[in-house]
Amino acid sequence: MYVVKYGDDIVIIDCGGKFPDESLLGIDLIIPDVSYLEKNKDKIRGLIVTHGHEDHIGGIPYLLKKINIPIYATHFTLGLIQLKLEEHKLVRDTKLLTIDAESSINLGSIDVSFFKVSHSIPDCLGIVFHTPEGKVVHTGDFKFDLTPANHQYADIHKMARIGDEGVLVLLSESTNAERSGFTPSEHMVGNHMDEAFFKARGKIFVSTFASNVNRVQQVVDSSVKTNRKLALLGRSMINVVSVAMDRGYLTVPEGMLIDAGEIDALPPEKVAILCTGSQGEAMAALGRLSTGNFRGVSIYPDDTVILAASPIPGNEKDVSRIIDNLFQLGAHVIYGSGSSTGMHVSGHGYQEDLKLMLTLMKPTYFIPIHGEYRMLHHHRLLAESVGVENGNTFIIKNGEAVDIKNSIAHQTRSHQAGDTYVDGLSVGDIGSIVLRDRKQLSEDGMLIIVVTLNKADHTIISGPDTISRGFVFVRDSEELLKDINQLVKKVVDDLTEANIRDWKEMKQAIKKDVGQFLFKQLRRKPVLLPIIIEI
């Protein structure tokens, strides 16, 4: 999420979500902290969405629940957003406005125009903000593909005209800033897909991002050429394909799609299956297929499985586990990106793509965006290598602002920003303390200590009773639990003699003494939960 502000007018660019890593136990989704926007909601003129990937639209429903603003996006992107809004019951209250590369809109003191870029999903736009200070350009995600699978060509001529008219600030994505050369074309994938389909003997399973409609079309085309019917597995795959077909971005011959229940009724060599799970998600379709837990559909020896996506950094271990499972099932597995298999190319520009964008736009100031810090750093070096002045590049962290006055930019301020965690229906309720407890529970388990006291004189009536959950196996640790109970009895008796009857103080004393005892004995720190009952 990025914000452009001039005077009392604010425009938001994208509002994505990202999936948690293994350290964020129980968290379902990470979305932006919008505290700054809530404080300035009367100044917000709209949200412009560059394209429909999850890291650009995933946080929109949560933003709209706090700030109801109009959304501007292309025809296909609005279809994906609408799916999310229907799930959150927000469609009726949200203003959805269609834009394209030729649109021009006015948002207060800011005029906005657009230009086409190529990416791995249809209908992607770059944005030009025309402000009294000068033009601010946001590229969105892009690469320069001269033979795109969907024939949506980047408008290089328009980019050059924008650059010739003068660009004050360029915000450009940095995902592949470490990779040399140009990004390979999607056209290469189609040829390799055809080859794999013609060689396959049994069923063919292809797993890719549901939103990669270009790749989905290539699977459809290869299925047509080899006379195979096509089944879809995974809710997001079914939803995105439905939107793409309804809105004219995906061409599927009539009668080609079949339900999962029809797969076994056809000869294996007449079936292709398109499924989710290319990132190793255990509960996605491919993950369940790899463990034999997808009801009604199985992978057999001689079946071919194609992973037509590369792992997002951090997902490599999960993807490797699924690939191992597939080999154990006897499947022929094709995996790996680029020239190794030809089944996937990135939708993000390599160094030469990024330098071409910089050369076309010729910005005075440059802000690299979208990527880890090292990627932003490499992109800054690329910008300086093609003519951006040393010192005119800003690498900004979440919440930091670049101010421009009289066409001079400086970075001095910051606003509250960061991550908000979604856990089930809870949004923002899970903080560092809860996550710390979850981590401790996952590592050392829990010990519940129950003591029943006489309300009159605070003598022990029952217990202490110690219950272990994920800490030790009770049957093998009777002596340890007996020692814990004796220690708790001593703590309670000592406090009673000292006429200390405050529950909070008693619980703290039990936690402190038992915690020290366990660490000394076992070098472990389980979560301790004393429960005191008075009768």
Side-chain angles (χ1 to χ4, degrees):
M1 173 188 283
Y2 291 87
V3 171
V4 174
K5 180 178 183 289
Y6 185 86
D8 286 332
D9 299 310
I10 291 176
V11 182
I12 306 169
I13 309 166
D14 295 335
C15 183
K18 64 179 180 179
F19 296 109
D21 59 33
E22 59 190 14
S23 67
L24 299 175
L25 300 168
I27 299 302
D28 300 318
L29 184 68
I30 304 170
I31 57 176
D33 179 351
V34 296
S35 303
Y36 169 78
L37 296 175
E38 286 187 88
K39 293 174 184 174
N40 293 274
K41 61 183 177 182
D42 294 336
K43 300 178 182 179
I44 301 173
R45 305 295 169 241
L47 165 65
I48 301 175
V49 183
T50 59
H51 65 284
H53 277 147
E54 188 67 24
D55 57 335
H56 294 258
I57 68 171
I60 289 177
Y62 303 96
L63 173 66
L64 292 177
K65 288 175 183 178
K66 296 186 176 183
I67 310 166
N68 190 3
I69 53 176
I71 297 175
Y72 298 85
T74 55
H75 187 53
F76 179 67
T77 304
L78 281 181
L80 299 180
I81 292 171
Q82 194 164 339
L83 283 177
K84 291 189 170 294
L85 300 187
E86 286 171 356
E87 186 178 337
H88 289 261
K89 298 179 172 58
L90 292 169
V91 173
R92 185 180 300 175
D93 301 323
T94 304
K95 192 175 182 180
L96 301 175
L97 300 162
T98 304
I99 55 174
D100 59 32
E102 304 307 317
S103 297
S104 181
I105 58 177
N106 174 262
L107 299 173
S109 58
I110 304 172
D111 292 323
V112 186
S113 61
F114 306 92
F115 57 93
K116 282 184 184 178
V117 294
S118 294
H119 189 38
S120 56
I121 190 172
D123 272 11
C124 299
L125 295 177
I127 310 171
V128 185
F129 297 93
H130 305 262
T131 76
E133 286 287 340
K135 290 189 183 72
V136 176
V137 175
H138 185 290
T139 65
D141 288 356
F142 75 93
K143 67 176 180 178
F144 288 99
D145 189 344
L146 301 182
T147 54
N150 59 5
H151 304 293
Q152 291 190 354
Y153 300 92
D155 195 340
I156 298 175
H157 296 292
K158 191 170 185 178
M159 295 179 203
R161 285 199 306 272
I162 294 166
D164 287 341
E165 292 166 1
V167 173
L168 180 62
V169 184
L170 175 67
L171 292 84
S172 182
E173 73 130 323
S174 312
T175 309
N176 279 331
E178 299 171 288
R179 304 177 74 171
S180 61
F182 281 100
T183 310
S185 172
E186 283 286 336
H187 188 69
M188 179 191 78
V189 176
N191 294 334
H192 284 91
M193 192 75 69
D194 286 347
E195 183 182 349
F197 267 64
F198 279 113
K199 287 182 177 179
R201 288 178 292 179
K203 298 191 297 294
I204 299 176
F205 295 80
V206 182
S207 183
T208 189
F209 291 107
S211 59
N212 193 339
V213 178
N214 300 342
R215 194 66 40 77
V216 173
Q217 184 67 66
Q218 289 167 328
V219 173
V220 171
D221 294 343
S222 295
S223 298
V224 170
K225 292 172 184 176
T226 53
N227 196 27
R228 290 176 182 262
K229 297 289 187 180
L230 183 64
L232 306 176
L233 303 182
R235 185 170 66 111
S236 61
M237 183 65 72
I238 293 169
N239 287 341
V240 172
V241 167
S242 176
V243 170
M245 290 175 65
D246 289 345
R247 299 195 172 216
Y249 294 89
L250 184 63
T251 303
V252 181
E254 189 173 347
M256 182 181 187
L257 291 179
I258 60 173
D259 293 331
E262 300 176 68
I263 292 173
D264 286 342
L266 295 170
E269 67 274 9
K270 296 296 181 183
V271 179
I273 296 112
L274 191 56
C275 62
T276 56
S278 63
Q279 296 306 302
E281 308 97 310
M283 296 308 296
L286 186 63
R288 290 154 58 200
L289 286 165
S290 74
T291 56
N293 290 320
F294 199 104
R295 188 172 62 183
V297 184
S298 299
I299 295 175
Y300 297 110
D302 288 337
D303 286 347
T304 296
V305 181
I306 300 170
L307 273 74
S310 58
I312 294 171
N315 293 345
E316 295 90 350
K317 186 186 296 184
D318 294 332
V319 173
S320 295
R321 184 186 66 249
I322 285 178
I323 292 171
D324 283 346
N325 292 342
L326 293 170
F327 274 114
Q328 289 180 35
L329 293 173
H332 173 52
V333 188
I334 302 173
Y335 61 99
S337 62
S339 59
S340 59
T341 66
M343 291 301 177
H344 176 69
V345 295
S346 178
H348 302 272
Y350 290 8
Q351 289 181 352
E352 298 305 313
D353 300 72
L354 301 181
K355 287 194 285 187
L356 178 54
M357 179 64 78
L358 284 156
T359 302
L360 291 169
M361 291 296 174
K362 299 187 287 285
T364 302
Y365 295 102
F366 176 59
I367 302 175
I369 58 174
H370 295 331
E372 305 295 337
Y373 189 90
R374 67 184 186 278
M375 301 169 189
L376 306 180
H377 172 75
H378 280 291
H379 202 175
R380 173 169 60 186
L381 298 180
L382 292 176
E384 292 173 354
S385 74
V386 296
V388 176
E389 285 188 26
N390 193 348
N392 280 11
T393 300
F394 299 92
I395 297 181
I396 58 176
K397 300 175 183 176
N398 285 343
E400 292 183 341
V402 174
D403 292 308
I404 302 173
K405 188 173 183 180
N406 299 325
S407 298
I408 298 174
H410 56 278
Q411 179 185 342
T412 57
R413 296 184 300 129
S414 63
H415 302 280
Q416 181 178 335
D419 294 332
T420 299
Y421 300 133
V422 178
D423 184 358
L425 296 177
S426 299
V427 180
D429 298 338
I430 307 300
S432 58
I433 295 175
V434 173
L435 290 173
R436 182 196 66 195
D437 285 346
R438 289 182 180 181
K439 187 173 187 297
Q440 192 174 351
L441 279 167
S442 71
E443 292 176 349
D444 292 321
M446 172 188 281
L447 209 59
I448 304 168
I449 302 164
V450 183
V451 184
T452 304
L453 303 180
N454 186 315
K455 193 172 185 178
D457 58 10
H458 255 225
T459 55
I460 296 176
I461 297 174
S462 174
D465 294 315
T466 304
I467 303 166
S468 170
R469 290 292 180 268
F471 173 56
V472 292
F473 184 50
V474 173
R475 196 173 297 170
D476 295 338
S477 308
E478 291 180 357
E479 281 299 317
L480 175 68
L481 297 180
K482 184 179 178 182
D483 291 342
I484 293 171
N485 290 338
Q486 289 176 348
L487 176 59
V488 172
K489 185 176 185 302
K490 181 178 184 305
V491 171
V492 173
D493 288 342
D494 289 347
L495 291 173
T496 301
E497 285 182 21
N499 203 30
I500 297 173
R501 301 193 173 193
D502 180 72
W503 281 20
K504 185 177 180 181
E505 203 168 333
M506 190 172 288
K507 287 180 179 180
Q508 288 294 340
I510 292 172
K511 288 173 73 172
K512 178 185 174 184
D513 285 22
V514 172
Q516 290 175 346
F517 171 75
L518 291 175
F519 187 75
K520 184 177 179 181
Q521 293 290 320
L522 304 173
R523 289 294 187 272
R524 290 170 64 185
K525 293 183 178 181
V527 173
L528 297 174
L529 184 62
I531 299 175
I532 299 174
I533 303 170
E534 284 188 343
I535 59 174

